[in-house]
Amino acid sequence: MNIAFEVCDTPIPIMGNKVNCGVTLGVGDEMIEGYYYLPKSAVGLYPLIEVTAQGDSMIDAGIEEGDLLRLELGALPSDGDIVLAEIDGESTVKVFFTDAEKRHWLCPMNPRYRPIQLKETMNVRITGVVRTVVKSVVRKSYGECMAVLNRANAQRQKETDVMQRLCEAVKEGSHLFWASSAWAVAYGVVRDVCGFEDSMTGFERKVRGLSLPASFKYTCTPSTVQRTISNHSYMRLHIDKWREMGASPREVVLMEFLRNFLE
């Protein structure tokens, strides 16, 4: 099948110390928590290590608390590379940059922090260049997951109650409907009065499932609400704005009736 196999025989140490995108201890064997293995061809010329980031000075570069930084030890940085540097015995993760006057800088990716100019009076060593950022995945608790489900269930129940009340309102005020486009008015009222959060498509689907009398003439068809609102820009505003923005008298009458019924 022309599959080329490679042996994962090159150890990649996982460091137990954390890089503060600020300060940490030096990299030493005593800090190694464990290893994983890659093929030598995937590792390249420089040995790889992984360290854990903490702090927020590199947040705009996508590096967040708990992310794993996979870096090449001893690699020479180019401008724009994210590096792990040691300054007077303290390590930091920043962007390496050389300005027009050939001055070297370590730049944070967060406006709250200042860049560090590398001077001859400093004891500076570039430990390595970050090649990959492995995003951390935080395991959520049972309680957090249940809270999400409970909120979703409460919202579904709220929407069900709203649609049942809307059904009763339509039965009571069926004489106020003049066309299927009148459902756009109903959508505006449900959205603004009842806090309905589903999409227009979801609303149309729920409306088509209502048990309305057979004598009711103006059923809601797919995309009716969307087309109507796209042609009447004031309907995107809160219903309190409709009258002053040019809604027709029959739209205002239906809107006020539904509003009084559903409030």
Side-chain angles (χ1 to χ4, degrees), residues 2 4 32 37 50 53 57 73 76 87 89 94 100 105 128 162-163 191 209 219 229 234 240 242 246 249-250 260:
N2 298 321
I32 297 175
Y37 292 81
E50 285 191 349
S57 69
L73 286 178
L76 295 176
I87 304 174
K94 297 290 184 289
W105 298 84
V162 167
M163 297 310 294
R191 177 195 63 201
T219 57
I229 292 179
Y234 58 83
D240 290 340
W242 285 13
R250 62 186 180 185
N260 293 333

Side-chain angles (χ1 to χ4, degrees), residues 8 26 49 67 80-81 101 164 175 206 215 224-225 246 263:
C8 293
I49 66 168
D67 290 347
D81 280 343
E101 299 179 14
Q164 288 175 347
H175 60 287
K206 290 179 173 65
S215 59
T224 293
V225 173
E263 274 185 334

Side-chain angles (χ1 to χ4, degrees), residues 168-184:
E168 295 304 315
V170 173
K171 291 177 181 178
E172 184 76 17
S174 59
H175 60 287
L176 299 177
F177 280 72
W178 67 92
S180 59
S181 59
W183 284 105

Side-chain angles (χ1 to χ4, degrees), residues 41-161:
S41 62
V43 174
L45 296 175
Y46 302 97
L48 297 180
I49 66 168
E50 285 191 349
V51 292
T52 305
Q54 63 180 6
D56 63 353
S57 69
M58 294 295 290
I59 195 75
D60 290 344
I63 298 177
E64 300 174 296
E65 185 92 22
D67 290 347
L68 278 179
L69 308 181
R70 185 176 299 159
L71 55 94
E72 292 181 337
L73 286 178
L76 295 176
S78 300
D79 285 344
D81 280 343
I82 298 173
V83 300
L84 173 60
E86 186 177 295
I87 304 174
D88 296 330
E90 296 184 345
S91 294
T92 185
V93 174
K94 297 290 184 289
V95 176
F96 180 82
F97 177 68
T98 306
D99 64 20
E101 299 179 14
K102 304 301 181 182
R103 295 175 299 188
H104 299 305
W105 298 84
L106 294 179
C107 299
M109 291 290 106
N110 184 331
R112 292 175 50 214
Y113 298 87
R114 294 182 178 180
I116 303 168
Q117 183 181 354
L118 303 182
K119 301 178 180 179
E120 292 181 357
T121 56
M122 297 176 176
N123 182 11
V124 179
R125 180 169 68 96
I126 303 299
T127 304
V129 177
V130 176
R131 296 305 186 197
T132 308
V133 178
V134 182
K135 302 303 292 181
S136 63
V137 179
V138 180
R139 188 171 184 266
K140 297 300 182 180
S141 68
Y142 176 87
E144 289 173 308
C145 294
M146 283 306 302
V148 172
L149 294 180
N150 290 337
R151 285 195 297 271
N153 289 334
Q155 184 61 33
R156 279 195 293 268
Q157 184 58 52
K158 177 183 177 182
E159 290 179 358
T160 299
D161 294 343

